[in-house]
Structures are given as structure tokens and as C-alpha cells.
Amino acid sequence: MSARADVLAAVRAALGRCVGAGARAGRADAPGEGGVPRGYRVETGTASGSAPACDLLEHRLLDYRARVVRCGPDEVAATVARELAGAGSVAVPHGLPEAWAVAARTAGVVVRADLPGRPLATAELDRTDAVVTGCRVAVADTGTIVLDAGPGQGRRVLTLLPDRHVCVVRSDQVVGSVPEAVRLLEAHPERPLTWISGPSATSDIELVRVEGVHGPRDLRVVLVGD
Amino acid sequence: MSTYLGMPAVPPKPAAEPHDPLRWGTTFPDAARGTLEDAQLRTNLRRATRTIRDKRLAVTAELPDWEALRDAGAAIKADAMDRLPELLEQLEANVTARGGTVHWARDAAEANRIVTGLVRAAGAREVVKVKSMVTQEIGLNEHLEAEGVAAHETDLAELIVQLAGDRPSHILVPAIHRNRDEIRDVFRSRMPGAPDGLTNEPAALAMAAREHLRALFLRADVAISGANLAIAETGTVAVVESEGNGRMCLTLPRTLVTVMGIEKVLPRFRDLEVFLQLLPRSSTGERMNPYTTTWTGVTPGDGPQEFHLVLLDNGRTRALADDVGRQALHCIRCSACLNVCPVYERTGGHAYGSVYPGPIGAILTPQLLGLGDGDAATASLPFASTLCGACYDACPVKIDIPTALVHLRDRALHDGAPRRPTAAGVAMGAAAAVLSSGRRFRWALRGSALVGRLLGGRRVRRLPWPGSLWTASRDLPALPTRSFSATRATRATRAARGAGEPPSGVQPRRADGRGRS
């Protein structure tokens, strides 16, 4: 018999034949589909897209020592360009608003476009100082930004190798809780998701928290209000 | 370049390389005797467990629906176990539909063969690894090394453990048994390219690791990972991490091999909303961990273009067959139970002799290995507990570890071939004989009362052997001169004879009014 058949047979046999007669199981009975008690909150006190949601998101991001800049919808390009100050080069994904790339170029930053037919080579990306993307959704309660590799966000490697990540989050993309975000994302579960909550960190050495182990050490969020 | 041959500057812990990742040889009491004397370990552990414990308490207290989340998590896991065959088939179908390949492994040896075959087929002589408990469980690194493939751990703690020649001592912070000086020495002597004059500052050590590993990530063709969970409904696999080495391994190489225990499958995509709250808050005490990556099969042009999922049994079906013990399979590897366990805090993970230490290890390891062969080390694990229940309180998916421990103690004593009689066994047998018969019990009481009268209220502090085994660390209770039932019977007779006596069973008041005589 194949390993597959053996394993599945062993699972079925285990479920049909229980050792330990009469002993109380950890749970009184196991519910079938639809029997899971979902009494946890989906909506919280923070309404999606609201000013309090954006404030909470900013607060959480600052806790993670990310940099947060607020601006109006007409100021995004200029703000992005300002946040790229000091970077020699920036990678931009396919589908990013052209105005942002133009503003960056005007500010003297070399713009490297990652295009579907012509992706940036890994070695070149490794030498690129920054990357600018949008996002799919942001969770205020946990200070999380989720990218789904869609237009304006790009391949996952783009936000991994450069040392500075400038991420533009619109207020209408901000939800209150993790369940709200997941229910939004479940429309396209096959997309590769990257959930980012601050720069990377480790506490492996004597529990002293050190930031920026791998991935961008400089996370800058441009939070666009109404 | 610093040399890394010859005697390591820091001797490895544990000293001898264990043969079986789930069974390092000695019983828990013997191993604990050794680890309890390691002052460095105990200091590190005490700080570590208390720090994480406080963080976890703060961040779970913040959520008014924490208990509802735990209920949902427990129910989802129980449901997943009940429907495991269907969910595994559904997972396989969905991964395959999105361009991935699913392999099945009955045991560790088979999983190792499959992974090695995949690495060879990709033409690679080295691989990068994301921290994965299941690959430790099967001893994958050792197998790959023996087959001529270098397996580079990329998690900072795993890197430290690998370079030092250690074994991990904690699920979440595997190098907690090492302090910064030891880590600096390990890097200086065993990490190629470590900078001269490397200090012991954690930030400097982490940056040295970053440089060392970046070169590895950029050239690796094959990565091996575990999985925190896999969604049957969609074929989505998730890795939850803090350092970014996961993203590196899951995104850069051309080929990705993910090894996963069959118990990690969850039914629906929506279940992520529960576990992405339970796991970060319980494990690192954060609202959310820095990076979580999810992927489904292969996405053309983004990340690995070849994806293999290896589903592993290796004793999980044995646990599944146990009505009470099965809940050990609900574990999401958060390590909250380790951090609250008074035993673990003092003995450390190495005393459990398994890659799964602490309370969850005490119920998972014996079930994965089985208790039928009478191995003393395995059988000792369910006894490595005071049954205080702190682990049950802390567990985000409400695994009733104390109940499982007691259940497994019973199995450890009675499964498999009958064992040599022990002193405790003989004493229990004698007690059972006396207590199971009313007549024998009454005679025992009379005998005890007689001895009590002979002693005249004096307490016995020391008995000759074999009683000395008991009295060496325990006091015997003072023996009463009359048994309780005899006293009651006398009172009842007295009350029946005269009025004005206090009700039977209640002692009369003292003459000076101070309580009862």
C-alpha cells in the first residue's frame, strides 16, 4: 500500500477505535461543521475607515517603532518623495500610481520598476535602498499591514530585500480587527499574503529585543486621510 | 576568516548527541537532577519564563473576548481531529490544483527519504531552513548531513544551537540556555565571516547573524520549512515568525519543501481569524508577530516555482486513537504552558529528553512514541508534573493537560508487558487489599489504634528499612488511640442513654468556654 493509503487508513482506524474507555475527553463533544462557537468579536469599538481606527493604527505602529506620517489625499506623491530622502534607489511594483514614481525621480532617487515581463533581478534588488508599495488592508487593533501581491504591491521579494519600505495605507483600507481583515482577504485566499507588524525582531539572546534581523529595518507608513 | 574547526569554545549542551530526537535516554528524574545543578540555565530560564509570562498576561487581558477565542480555538481543533481524513484529502486536492505536490510519510525515516530525494532532484548540495519543530522531531538535519547535504538553520536561536552543537531547550526560544558571552564565543569560533572584535551586545550579535545569513539566502536554491497551519478549504499554508528569515526562505529559493504534521490542518480560511489572534498573544506576548506569510501552491512569477508539502504521521495516529490523549494534537506550539510550568522553570527543556519539552511534551512525546514498550524514559514523562494546572489555564486552545497527564500515568503503568514489582507497587497492592474489604479495614483500624495506645501519643519520626524510604523525607501522622468510627459509636450510645448531651459527633464545650474539649 502507498504511504498515502497507509496514513489515511491509520487516521480512520484511530478515529473508529478509541483507547481509554470512559475517560472524559478534553472537550465534551466535538461539533461537526457549523458547530464551532464563534462568540469572539468581529467588529470592535473601532469602525473601519474611521478616524479613531487610523489613530489606533498609528499608535500601534509607533509601538512597533515604525515611522508614521499622516497626509491628505493630494499630498501622497510629495510625502512619498520626502520619505525616500537619503535613498539612492527605489524599487516600484507594477501598478503603483505613476505620480509617486515621478515624484521620487524628481527628488533624485533612481527608480527601478519591477514589471511582469521584466522582473528586477535579485542581485539588483539586494542593492536597492528602498521600495514603495500600497497595501491590501491594515488592522488597527494590532498595527498590521497586509499585502496580497496585487497591483501596487508587487512580488513578495520586493518588500523583503531593500532596507527601507515605504507603505501607503489609505484610511478606507483600515479595519478594526483581525477577523474583519480575514473576512476581506478570504475573497482571494490563493494570493500570497504578507502580514507585516513592524520591523522584524528577535528576543533569542537573553530575551533582549533586537530589531531588524532580516527584512527592511526602516518601515515607514504613509497614512492617507480623507 | 575565523577558524571553526577543533574544540568549540563552548561545550555543547547536552553533552552527548542523542540518537532519537524524541527520546534522549534517561528518565526525567535522572535528567532533571543534572539540569537542576546548572545555575546559568536556571537563571536564564527564570528570567525568560517570567518575562514572557507577564507579557502574555498583559496582552491577553487586553482582549475582552479572549475566552471566547479560546473556546473557538478548542472547538475548531476538535472538529479538525474528528474530520481529519476528509480535511487531509481536501488539503491535498487544493494544493495540487494550485501547482503544488503533496507527499505522505508514515514515519520519520520515510519523511527524511522524501525530503532528501526532493533536494537531490533540485540539484542542491545545501538548503536553508526555517525553524521547524517537526523537522527536529524527525532528525532531518542529521539525515541530510549524512547524505552530503548541508542544512543551514536560519532562525537566530536555531543558528546558535546548530553552531554550538546543542539541542534546543525551549520551543520558542531554543537557545535560552545560553547567555550573550557564550553566544559571542560560539559565533567567534564557529561562524564563518564573523567580524573580529565581535562584542557580546545582543544587537551586534544579531547583526553579525544577519550578514552571515543574507549571503546564504541569496544563493540558496532549496528551502525547507515547517508550517504553523494549513487550510483544507483552500490549500493555503501559513508560517508565523518574527525575524524575517521565514520570508527569506519562503520567497527567494526556486524550490520550497514544507514538512507538516497531519494534525496541523484546519478546516476553513476563516479559522485564521482565530489562530492569528491566539498564537502571537500566547507565544511571544505580542498583539501580532512581525511577519506572517501565507501561500497557496505556486504563484507564477512570485516566490518558489516548485512547492512540495510533506504530510507526516510519525505517531500522530497513535495519539489520535486515545480518546483522552488526542487533545495533545490540538497544540499550536505557542509554548505558553512551558512558561507557566513550575517544573519546567527549574529543570529546563533538556530534562524532558525530547524536542517537545514541558507540559505539552509530557503528554505528546509519550503518545508519539507509544507507551507499550515499557521504556523507562518515556514512561517517566507523564510523572514530570505537580498537576498544578497552570498549563491548562494558559493554553490558548484549552488542552486539559492535567487530565491527560493522569490518564497517561495510568497507561504508563499498565500498558505493555507487566513490569518488575516496585516498592510503591507493593505498598499500593497491600493498601488495595486492606481498603477493599470492610472487615480487613476494621481490623487494620483496631491494629492502628492499638499501636497508638502503645505509643501514647508520641510521634514516630524514623522507621527502619524499608520504612526509612518513606520517613527520610516525610513525617508519619500521630496515631489516634481510638478510630473515628469507634468514637462515634460510643457517643451515639451515650446520647441514647442520657439527655442533655451534645448531639453525636460533636464534642462538648470546654468548661471555661474556650471552644470545644
Side-chain angles (χ1 to χ4, degrees):
Chain A
M1 279 175 90
S2 68
R4 180 184 189 278
D6 270 356
V7 172
L8 286 170
V11 175
R12 292 196 160 96
L15 290 173
R17 186 181 60 224
C18 289
V19 174
R24 186 180 68 84
R27 285 186 33 80
D29 48 48
E33 244 188 78
V36 170
R38 292 186 191 264
Y40 50 87
R41 301 171 309 164
V42 178
E43 276 140 44
T44 61
T46 316
S48 298
S50 65
C54 293
D55 289 341
L56 181 56
L57 176 66
E58 176 178 8
H59 184 74
R60 293 285 190 252
L61 285 169
L62 292 173
D63 269 352
Y64 293 142
R65 291 193 259 282
R67 179 175 150 80
V68 182
V69 179
R70 312 278 292 253
C71 75
D74 304 324
E75 305 162 316
V76 182
T79 311
V80 165
R82 260 201 309 278
E83 291 307 313
L84 289 173
S89 52
V90 62
V92 298
H94 174 65
L96 197 77
E98 187 58 33
W100 304 358
V102 167
R105 218 173 270 124
T106 313
V109 186
V110 173
V111 174
R112 296 177 179 154
D114 186 78
L115 303 168
R118 235 173 356 106
L120 292 171
T122 300
E124 188 177 6
L125 206 46
D126 186 36
R127 288 190 307 267
T128 305
D129 298 319
V131 59
V132 182
T133 69
C135 76
R136 176 74 178 95
V137 65
V139 183
D141 187 40
T142 59
T144 303
I145 299 170
V146 186
L147 279 70
D148 72 355
Q153 301 168 62
R155 300 184 297 138
R156 291 175 287 165
V157 68
L158 291 182
T159 52
L160 181 57
L161 292 181
D163 213 12
R164 185 188 311 186
H165 178 192
V166 179
C167 189
V168 179
V169 179
R170 296 190 319 265
S171 60
D172 64 278
Q173 291 180 310
V174 181
V175 300
S177 73
V178 171
E180 286 175 311
V182 170
R183 289 169 192 218
L184 211 137
L185 295 165
E186 71 184 1
H188 293 283
E190 74 288 351
R191 290 186 185 165
L193 301 179
T194 307
W195 295 58
I196 299 170
S197 307
S200 69
T202 179
S203 301
D204 279 331
I205 299 175
E206 292 189 357
L207 287 189
V208 173
R209 186 181 171 89
V210 176
E211 262 138 37
V213 193
H214 303 289
R217 286 179 282 201
D218 184 4
L219 174 63
R220 304 189 185 202
V221 177
V222 176
L223 197 41
V224 185
D226 304 314
Chain B
M1 189 175 89
S2 57
T3 57
Y4 53 101
L5 302 171
M7 289 295 290
V10 189
K13 294 179 181 179
E17 175 69 33
H19 181 65
D20 183 342
L22 290 173
R23 180 154 45 198
W24 297 355
T26 57
T27 62
F28 180 83
D30 286 341
R33 215 163 276 131
T35 60
L36 283 167
E37 287 171 12
D38 186 338
Q40 178 68 72
L41 170 73
R42 291 184 66 165
T43 307
N44 289 4
L45 266 184
R46 189 167 54 237
R47 260 192 65 231
T49 54
R50 288 179 188 189
T51 306
I52 306 178
R53 208 187 300 163
D54 291 342
K55 289 179 71 176
R56 181 183 63 83
L57 286 171
V59 90
T60 54
E62 212 178 69
L63 292 182
D65 57 344
W66 179 249
E67 289 303 317
L69 282 166
R70 289 180 78 209
D71 287 336
I76 293 170
K77 280 288 183 175
D79 179 37
M81 290 307 105
D82 279 346
R83 298 191 287 132
L84 193 56
E86 295 76 48
L87 293 177
L88 288 173
E89 287 168 335
Q90 192 186 17
L91 174 67
E92 178 187 46
N94 283 313
V95 170
T96 310
R98 292 273 312 172
T101 310
V102 177
H103 311 257
W104 300 73
R106 286 163 276 217
D107 56 26
E110 186 163 28
N112 286 333
R113 274 197 309 274
I114 293 171
V115 174
T116 312
L118 292 170
V119 173
R120 286 244 170 74
R125 299 296 306 277
E126 63 178 357
V127 300
V128 285
K129 283 192 65 208
V130 192
K131 173 192 157 79
S132 157
M133 302 220 60
V134 75
T135 61
Q136 278 164 7
E137 177 191 329
I138 64 178
L140 178 63
N141 289 7
E142 290 73 22
H143 182 89
L144 285 172
E145 303 279 344
E147 297 287 321
V149 177
H152 302 289
E153 291 289 353
T154 63
D155 232 74
L156 180 56
E158 297 295 345
L159 174 67
I160 294 167
V161 165
Q162 186 173 51
L163 290 175
D166 285 351
R167 289 249 128 198
S169 66
H170 189 288
I171 284 175
L172 199 66
V173 277
I176 195 60
H177 55 285
R178 292 289 186 193
N179 64 26
R180 62 181 72 183
D181 293 320
E182 292 174 315
I183 294 169
R184 177 205 54 208
D185 294 340
V186 166
F187 279 4
R188 269 206 202 130
S189 60
R190 312 204 82 181
M191 186 161 85
D196 301 321
L198 179 62
T199 68
N200 69 355
E201 284 299 311
L205 294 168
M207 289 308 108
R210 177 185 167 107
E211 291 309 310
H212 166 71
L213 289 169
R214 195 169 180 94
L216 270 176
F217 292 134
L218 292 173
R219 73 168 189 255
D221 278 331
V222 180
I224 300 176
S225 81
N228 288 91
L229 50 95
I231 307 290
E233 186 189 43
T234 60
T236 304
V237 184
V239 166
V240 174
E241 58 149 345
S242 293
E243 293 172 26
N245 60 310
R247 288 181 67 189
M248 291 286 188
C249 292
L250 299 169
T251 316
L252 285 169
R254 196 171 36 83
T255 302
L256 172 62
V257 178
T258 297
V259 184
M260 188 185 91
I262 53 176
E263 84 282 19
K264 292 296 193 71
V265 67
L266 294 177
R268 294 154 290 263
F269 189 86
R270 183 165 287 202
D271 296 334
L272 281 172
E273 69 189 16
V274 174
F275 290 91
L276 287 182
Q277 295 195 71
L278 290 176
L279 182 53
R281 294 194 189 242
S282 299
S283 64
T284 52
E286 298 174 298
R287 295 187 186 96
M288 185 63 74
N289 53 294
Y291 296 139
T292 297
T293 302
T294 76
W295 73 97
T296 308
V298 173
T299 305
D302 185 336
Q305 296 303 290
E306 210 181 294
F307 171 57
H308 298 270
L309 178 63
V310 181
L311 296 174
L312 176 72
D313 179 355
N314 202 33
R316 285 150 177 76
T317 46
R318 191 180 283 124
L320 194 60
D322 185 328
D323 196 31
V324 176
R326 167 195 305 186
Q327 57 188 313
L329 295 177
H330 296 186
C331 177
I332 63 175
R333 308 287 189 268
C334 72
S335 80
C337 60
L338 270 67
N339 294 323
V340 297
C341 179
V343 174
Y344 176 88
E345 185 180 319
R346 288 158 180 81
T347 66
H350 291 154
Y352 294 78
S354 164
V355 299
Y356 300 117
I360 188 61
I363 62 172
L364 186 60
T365 306
Q367 293 191 84
L368 293 180
L369 291 170
L371 287 160
D373 63 357
D375 177 77
T378 314
S380 73
L381 286 176
F383 294 87
S385 165
T386 64
L387 299 178
C388 73
C391 51
Y392 187 10
D393 279 344
C395 180
V397 289
K398 294 179 111 162
I399 300 173
D400 187 353
I401 299 180
T403 298
L405 283 166
V406 172
H407 172 77
L408 288 172
R409 289 181 183 189
D410 181 53
R411 283 190 53 198
L413 292 172
H414 299 118
D415 274 19
R419 294 186 186 81
R420 277 188 306 112
T422 61
V426 170
M428 284 298 164
V434 169
L435 292 168
S436 57
S437 153
R439 199 174 51 84
R440 283 200 285 270
F441 184 61
R442 278 193 297 280
W443 274 106
L445 284 183
R446 284 188 203 121
S448 149
L450 177 63
V451 174
R453 282 197 292 280
L454 287 174
L455 289 172
R458 287 192 302 274
R459 297 189 68 144
V460 177
R461 300 231 180 267
R462 243 183 282 270
L463 287 176
W465 194 91
S468 61
L469 294 172
W470 185 266
T471 58
S473 51
R474 293 173 186 82
D475 285 340
L476 284 178
L479 291 176
T481 55
R482 306 187 68 194
S483 74
F484 175 77
S485 43
T487 310
R488 249 188 102 221
T490 311
R491 288 239 170 80
T493 318
R494 249 193 239 144
R497 273 200 234 120
E501 295 283 340
S504 74
V506 177
Q507 290 171 289
R509 287 272 196 102
R510 283 162 58 114
D512 60 0
R514 288 173 186 273
R516 303 189 191 280
S517 47

